[in-house]
Every structure is written in C-alpha cells, then in structure tokens.
Amino acid sequence: MKFLTEYRNLEATQQVIRQIEKAITRPWKIMEICGGQTHSLVRNGLLELLPEEVQMIHGPGCPVCVTPMQLIDQAVELMEKGVILCSFGDMVRVPGSTISLLEAKARGGELRILYSPLEAVRIARENPGREVVFFAVGFETTAPANALSVLQAEKEGLSNYSLLVSHVLVPPAMEGILDDPFCAIDAFLGAGHVCAIMGYREYHPIAAKYQIPIVVTGFEPLDLVQGIHRAVVQLEKGEYRVENQYARAVSEAGNLQAQKVIHQVFEIADRQWRGIGTIPRSGYALREAYRPFDASHKFGLAEETNTESGECMAGDILKGLKKPHQCPHFGKKCTPRTPMGAPMVSSEGACAAYYHFAPNP
Amino acid sequence: MDSQTPMSSSIQLAHGSGGLMTRELLDQIIFSTFKNPFLEQKHDGAIVPLKGPVVISTDSFVVSPIFFAGGNIGDLAINGTVNDVAMCGGVPEFISLGFIIEEGLDTSDFVKIVQTIKAAAEEAGVLIVTGDTKVVESGKGDKIFINTTGIGSPHPRAHISMDRIRPGDQLLVSGPIAAHGMAILSQREGLQFESEIRSDTTCLNHLVSDLLDEFGDQVHLLRDPTRGGISSVCSEIAQDSALGVLLRETALPLDPQVAAACEMLGLDPLYVANEGIFCAIVDAEAAPKILERMKSHPKGGRAALIGEIRSEYPGKVVMESAVGGSRIVTPLIGEQLPRIC
C-alpha cells in the first residue's frame, strides 16, 4: 500500500499543482481518456485544486458507457433463453432498449457478477448441461483475460462456453475525437492501464499527425497532476510528443505476452460505440478459428439497431463536447437510480462521477 | 423414538414438522444449549419482567456464506440485534431467535451456529427467551436464515435523537471501517491476503452503556454503519437533521489489508458494511474525553474522530480528500453487495 499512499501525498501533489500554476500562461483543454482517471480527478477533488486555465475534458474511456445498447439487448435475450450470463459488475445496471441485466435477473434470468472471465470458465466446467456466456466488455485492458478464457475453454474442450464480445480500442477513438470538426482538445492524458498492456508505440503517429501532446498517465492524484504538468509544459513550448508519466507500470512496447494472447484470439474489426457511432477498425472480434466461442454467432443473435433516447446527450459527453452538468436532465430526470444513459450508470462514467463526487458542478 | 435418539446428520423437513423430530431438535440442540428460567417455562412465548418503556428491534440474517472469517451467521444475528437496541440508547436484555433452515443442512453446522449464538449472547449479557424453527424444502432456502428480536430498557441517562444534533458536534467512529463486508467478499472471491481479513462482528452494548453512564446526554446520536457503510449513516444524518456532515478521509481508521482488498475490487470503503463498530455524534466540548473513553475500552481501542457537523451544506456529506480537495459523498445506490448480513 505504500506504493499507493506515496501517490496520494498531499505535499507532493500540491507542489506539482504549484508547478503547473507557474508553467501555465493561457487556457488549455486537456482530455483524460480513461474513465478511471475522470473518477480519480473528481473523487479526490483535484478539479477545484487545478488552476483555472487547466480545463479537463472527460473522454470516452469508459467501456461500459460505449457498449452499444443492442449488445445489452442481446445479453438480455441470452438470459431469457436460459443461458448463464456472466458479467463484470459495472454492466448490470446499464439500461438496454427495454431492461437492464439486473432487471432480467429479477425476471428469473441467471446472472453471475464476476471479477474474472476465468471464473466463467469454471462455471461452464461445473455446469456441463448449461450454456455459459461471458459478456466481454472493455478496452485493451480486459482483452488479455477474456482471450485467455477462450484458450482455457478450448484446452478443456468446453463447448458450452462463449463470449459476447464488445471490445473497443483506444487509439482509433482518439483519432475519431480529433477528426471531429468541433474538437477543441489541446492535449491527451493517455490511459495508463491500457498502455500497460499495449505500450504507446501507436501514439507517436497520432501525436505527429495531429500535432498534439500525449502523456501516458496513471490514476492516483500525484500521477494525474504530473501528467497534466507534462502536458502543459509541452503545450506552452509548442511541442507535441508522447511522454510516459506512468513508467512504473508502462513500457513503450507494453506487455508482449498479453498482446500475443490477444492477437491469437481476436482480430481488429469495426465497432459501434454507444453515443458516438461506428468507428472503423476500433475494436476486437473473435477470429474465424474461435467462431465456436462467439456467442452472437452461436445463438444467432439479431443485429437490430435500436435508437437511443434522443434526450440523452451521452455522445457529446463522451466526445468531450459537453460537461455532464450541462445536460438539462443531469441530476433531475437522470440519476444513477434512473439513468437515461450509460455514463450515469458506470462507476467510470463522467455523469456518475459528477453526480457522486463533485461538490459544485 | 425418544429425545435420546441421536440426531440425524442433516436437518430434515420433519425437524420443522412440530412433531417428534422437532422435539428432538429442540431438546438436543436448543434447550440443552440455552438454559434459562424463561425458556424453561416452555410456553409458546416467554413472560419476562420489564418496567417502563421498552426498546425493541428486529432483524433478519441471510448472509452467504454462513461461515466466514471472524464469525458466522449465529453471532452476526445476536450482535446485530444487540447493537440495534444499543444504538437506540437501550440496554438489551432478551432475545427471540427464529430459524428458517433449508432441508439438508449439516446438523454439525447447525450445532456450531447454535454454540456461537450461545457464546455471543453470553458476551452481550442477553438471554434467549423464545424461538422458532422452520424447515423448508431443499432449494427453497439457502442453508439457514435467522431472525432475531431484541428487547431491553432505555438506559436511564440516554437522550439520543436526531433533533439533538447541532452544528459543531463531532463525529466519532469506534473502530476501523469496512472489515465485515471485505471479509465476506474476499471469501466469496477467494482472495488471499497476507493476513486474513476478519469480520468485525461483535456486541457494542457494553461500550455504549459505559459511554452513557459517564457522558449521558452529551451523546447526541448513535448509529451502526451496517449495510451501506459509513456513507449511508452520514447521508441519513445529513438529510434527517438538515445539517451538513464533514468527513476527513485521512482520519478514517482502515486496516491496510482491508484497504488493499477495496483497491483490488474497486470498492469504496465508505460504502462497505460493518458489523462491530458504531458512529457517535457527540457534544464538541465532550468529544476528546468521549474519544479517550472509547479508546480505553476493548471494543473501541481504535476509535477515531472522523468528522463534524456543519451548517454550511445542509443535507450533504462532504469529504476532504487526502490531497486537499473535497467531494460529495452520496448514499449507496442499488445493491453494492447482496446478502452481506
């Protein structure tokens, strides 16, 4: 724990904030990609401690928030068909077009909330007469464990295990945001955990093409202010490089073993992002050889496109064009108990972060 | 078959039938364990002596797993109800005990639970005076559920009520937070830590009585932060008193292995259940002495001053973060952890 408390140190954090104050001469818009970073910023009260000129824009890095509604509908459909559906806890309260997974459970469906997909493989092993599906949601961070679960099921010859895949990738989303004509972002804080897996080689061409600083950053208060400081220093000098603040967890090449497992099982595919739309080559799908482990293929799930409630501005929030409290429904019609969109549900969603933690949004 | 026939190795439906096998279970396990004149009346209920107003509280226990590090569903049921009576400023004296058992429960597990109940009742100084046992078919319950009702008298010096809270009052907690919830969860998730996380389940009535003996109406409010944790208690206080609650993150007592488990599982310790601590809102002037008194008691050795009542932000709970920022603490929404107690 010492490793953590050092990065939650009052003096060290405030010293870096003073360095930011010294370095900054004009307003800059910095986007933190990852929802975990958004939560840490708000939960630790950092937004009010930073100088006014630093405007943090909250990015789309909450996998639960960007998982398309029809995937949730498909998961509900599987539960209604008698499948044991396994999911990370965050996913279960997100509304689909009709109900959430938790509501499907209350109606008699079988839902298991797990911390690891390998647990789902165990459930498949222990229930040979039942179909077990793991809802494989997430960025590059959760992909290795999900891929590993498929390899494990294959090794054990389990034919009753499959994945409902909704994997998304960070770099295409960054480019998608930068290509938006309304984009006004000056720098990125890269998502530390994603980079721990994938490294940050992919970011050099993005930084060069869009002339934008990218600082790979961790999640603790000291990490975040250091990341912001490095971004501000680059911006003030007119530089645009990739830097690594989170060197204690991230190397340039990333975790090669994890990447190998990912590429063995998954291939890059177009993906729909809830609130944003389809981004080419922005996610993973199971490779042809692992088709038997693909739940949508196995159960012939319908690919209907359901339209979102027009009132929810999740798309603008995920692209950083609006702040949660600029939504007329924030905290009124839309609360974590009555969410209109995923960012209000997920523990990493920007709307939930503002609702739970921000003293004066 | 007489009452000396050895019990079967697992509980069967007939043990709840009201017939011979029920008798056998009562005589061999219940009455032989809990001997007291009230239970020996063998009425359908118990006639107990009480004078003046009565403090009464009931609670049901459905925890899964039924055995966990630091306790089991039995002591949890006794401590939970004893503590609820104590939080009202009551001195718990009598307990009723209702079992709903799923057919097939190992008799040895049931005996173990009953023995734990006995030990917990003795420690709390309460008598089991009446009870009930039902058995449901396999698959219709989950091993065992327990309902307990506690009865007692108000402590003569207690004056505990939400409308006694004033701005400036201090918020004390009697021990480290989040232990029970993380003990249950790490057991469910099969997490191993260097030192085992144990539930904090314990009775708090003696410590509460000592505080009331000495400080009387300087104790304004008592709450045990069970389900929903510290955040829910503070939110209730803020909403019901229309005052603000300030918490200081760095002052919260938290065991390092519990903190580590919370980090790993992505849980906020403020929302995690406790079963052996309480929050006390006390008069500001008396607070240091009350804290000292708590710390000198075996059930309050790691008590801490964690916050205070403020008039600035009525209805809200605000926490000062370790790095000098502040955040709102909202009540728990939905179920963080089902069947924690």
Side-chain angles (χ1 to χ4, degrees):
Chain A
M1 283 305 285
K2 191 162 176 277
F3 209 42
L4 278 182
T5 49
E6 281 170 2
Y7 287 89
R8 292 174 188 173
N9 181 285
L10 175 72
E11 262 92 66
T13 304
Q14 296 201 330
Q15 199 185 333
V16 178
I17 291 172
R18 282 192 294 276
Q19 288 171 3
I20 298 171
E21 283 164 355
K22 258 187 223 160
I24 204 160
T25 63
R26 48 155 287 190
W28 296 109
K29 288 193 165 113
I30 302 172
M31 175 179 270
E32 80 280 3
I33 296 288
C34 175
Q37 294 170 330
T38 306
H39 253 238
S40 186
L41 283 172
V42 183
R43 184 167 183 251
N44 289 293
L46 288 174
L47 294 178
E48 62 176 6
L49 298 177
L50 289 166
E52 268 179 17
E53 293 89 341
V54 176
Q55 197 188 339
M56 297 307 296
I57 309 285
H58 313 307
C62 158
V64 171
C65 301
V66 299
T67 298
M69 195 155 70
Q70 67 253 38
L71 256 296
I72 297 167
D73 291 345
Q74 289 178 354
V76 168
E77 189 186 329
L78 287 173
M79 286 172 74
E80 286 166 350
K81 283 181 174 168
V83 161
I84 301 177
L85 191 87
C86 303
S87 171
F88 294 129
D90 266 12
M91 231 27 239
V92 302
R93 292 181 53 242
V94 183
S97 63
T98 53
I99 56 172
S100 68
L101 299 184
L102 216 51
E103 287 165 309
K105 176 173 181 264
R107 293 184 187 181
E110 196 160 351
L111 175 68
R112 307 279 182 93
I113 298 171
L114 306 178
Y115 280 97
S116 161
L118 291 172
E119 280 288 290
V121 176
R122 179 184 59 77
I123 292 169
R125 188 188 312 129
E126 289 170 0
N127 296 274
R130 301 282 303 277
E131 284 292 335
V132 176
V133 174
F134 187 78
F135 201 175
V137 168
F139 282 91
E140 294 91 327
T141 342
T142 51
N146 291 342
L148 204 57
S149 77
V150 169
L151 296 179
Q152 183 67 28
E154 185 190 38
K155 193 171 140 198
E156 295 185 30
L158 297 174
S159 59
N160 62 332
Y161 179 73
S162 55
L163 293 184
L164 182 60
V165 180
S166 179
H167 266 298
V168 281
L169 304 174
V170 165
M174 288 165 77
E175 293 206 60
I177 288 163
L178 292 167
D179 285 335
D180 189 304
F182 296 102
C183 169
I185 292 156
D186 300 308
F188 278 116
L189 301 187
H193 289 163
V194 169
C195 296
I197 304 292
M198 304 306 289
Y200 52 87
R201 280 182 185 148
E202 295 169 281
Y203 294 165
H204 295 300
I206 298 176
K209 178 178 168 191
Y210 297 93
Q211 305 196 344
I212 189 163
I214 303 173
V215 184
V216 176
T217 302
F219 298 81
E220 297 303 327
L222 185 57
D223 289 321
L224 287 161
V225 293
Q226 283 178 348
I228 292 165
H229 179 245
R230 290 191 186 200
V232 166
V233 168
Q234 281 199 48
L235 287 168
E236 291 286 342
K237 287 186 187 161
E239 295 175 350
Y240 42 87
R241 282 177 290 114
V242 180
E243 281 189 72
N244 181 13
Q245 179 279 332
Y246 202 33
R248 69 184 188 279
V250 173
S251 67
E252 172 133 22
N255 181 337
L256 296 173
Q257 189 65 33
Q259 291 169 27
K260 194 177 146 206
V261 174
I262 293 175
H263 293 132
Q264 187 178 344
V265 174
F266 293 119
E267 61 190 1
I268 291 184
D270 297 352
R271 275 276 166 207
Q272 200 194 336
W273 295 54
R274 189 173 190 168
I276 294 178
T278 301
I279 304 179
R281 299 179 58 75
S282 67
Y284 287 135
L286 283 159
R287 285 185 183 277
E288 185 73 39
Y290 294 96
R291 204 38 75 72
F293 297 96
D294 187 341
S296 54
H297 184 255
K298 188 175 190 174
F299 298 97
L301 297 171
E303 282 219 21
E304 291 167 40
T305 317
N306 295 299
T307 44
E308 297 277 343
S309 148
E311 294 174 283
C312 176
M313 55 164 69
D316 285 351
I317 285 164
L318 295 172
K319 282 185 275 193
L321 301 176
K322 289 252 167 67
K323 295 259 174 155
H325 59 272
Q326 289 168 335
C327 172
H329 303 300
F330 175 81
K332 298 186 180 90
K333 197 166 156 191
C334 183
T335 70
R337 269 179 78 183
T338 53
M340 292 170 66
M344 188 52 105
V345 182
S346 159
S347 72
E348 293 187 356
C351 297
Y354 270 65
Y355 184 88
H356 282 298
F357 302 131
N360 296 302
Chain B
M1 194 189 287
D2 61 44
S3 63
Q4 292 313 305
T5 310
M7 282 278 299
S8 54
S9 66
S10 68
I11 304 292
Q12 298 163 20
L13 271 180
H15 283 118
S17 66
L20 259 185
M21 283 176 73
T22 304
R23 188 81 227 166
E24 185 183 294
L25 178 128
L26 291 177
D27 284 344
Q28 291 190 25
I29 301 180
I30 305 290
F31 293 138
S32 59
T33 305
F34 306 113
K35 287 187 189 126
N36 65 63
F38 303 106
L39 201 59
E40 279 152 21
Q41 294 165 352
K42 294 197 180 172
H43 285 305
D44 278 354
I47 302 168
V48 296
L50 283 168
K51 281 183 197 149
V54 168
V55 182
I56 180 163
S57 178
T58 193
D59 209 343
S60 299
F61 296 84
V62 297
V63 67
S64 170
I66 56 174
F67 293 97
F68 46 83
N72 66 46
I73 191 169
D75 49 355
L76 195 68
I78 297 302
N79 293 333
T81 292
V82 160
N83 293 346
D84 282 349
V85 172
M87 292 307 116
C88 312
V91 179
E93 295 170 59
F94 306 110
I95 299 273
S96 80
L97 182 62
F99 293 111
I100 296 170
I101 304 173
E102 185 189 19
E103 176 188 23
L105 177 73
D106 282 348
T107 306
S108 62
D109 282 349
F110 183 58
V111 170
K112 215 181 289 173
I113 290 165
V114 169
Q115 292 297 337
T116 314
I117 289 175
K118 181 186 184 205
E122 279 173 5
E123 189 185 346
V126 293
L127 294 175
I128 312 290
V129 292
T130 186
D132 180 49
T133 306
K134 295 284 192 312
V135 181
V136 296
E137 303 97 306
S138 175
K140 303 286 181 182
D142 191 1
K143 296 188 176 75
I144 185 167
F145 300 147
I146 301 179
N147 172 270
T148 44
T149 297
I151 296 179
S153 306
H155 187 284
R157 297 202 61 201
H159 189 184
I160 286 170
S161 144
M162 191 63 79
D163 58 21
R164 301 208 48 235
I165 299 181
R166 298 283 174 270
D169 279 3
Q170 301 292 295
L171 171 56
L172 309 176
V173 66
S174 68
I177 67 169
H180 177 73
M182 295 322 293
I184 299 285
L185 194 60
S186 41
Q187 194 143 337
R188 280 192 206 158
E189 294 299 326
L191 295 182
Q192 303 284 321
F193 296 94
E194 267 178 48
S195 52
E196 186 180 46
I197 298 178
R198 298 175 69 78
S199 165
D200 59 350
T201 178
T202 194
C203 62
L204 299 163
N205 55 324
H206 302 307
L207 171 54
V208 168
S209 277
D210 284 5
L211 293 182
L212 293 173
D213 285 347
E214 195 169 337
F215 300 99
D217 65 1
Q218 288 172 315
V219 178
H220 295 168
L221 193 79
L222 299 170
R223 282 286 162 91
D224 56 343
T226 52
R227 283 170 300 170
I230 297 276
S231 73
S232 294
V233 162
C234 291
S235 298
E236 275 170 33
I237 292 171
Q239 276 158 24
D240 294 347
S241 69
L243 292 165
V245 177
L246 173 75
L247 288 172
R248 295 185 188 90
E249 187 172 20
T250 48
L252 290 168
L254 184 61
D255 279 327
Q257 72 269 29
V258 174
C262 286
E263 281 300 332
M264 279 181 65
L265 299 177
L267 295 173
D268 185 337
L270 280 183
Y271 292 83
V272 177
N274 308 276
E275 290 290 342
I277 59 168
F278 64 93
C279 295
I281 307 271
V282 303
D283 178 79
E285 248 175 65
K289 279 187 181 162
I290 297 177
L291 180 61
E292 207 176 299
R293 184 72 192 84
M294 279 165 97
K295 283 183 159 176
S296 70
H297 193 281
K299 305 277 182 183
R302 294 180 57 200
L305 172 63
I306 61 168
E308 62 187 64
I309 303 296
R310 292 282 185 89
S311 54
E312 293 100 283
Y313 26 83
K316 286 191 175 165
V317 183
V318 172
M319 180 148 94
E320 281 178 5
S321 78
V323 292
S326 63
R327 69 180 241 217
I328 288 277
V329 177
T330 51
L332 181 63
I333 290 161
E335 184 75 90
Q336 188 191 44
L337 225 52
R339 294 186 52 196
I340 198 75
C341 61

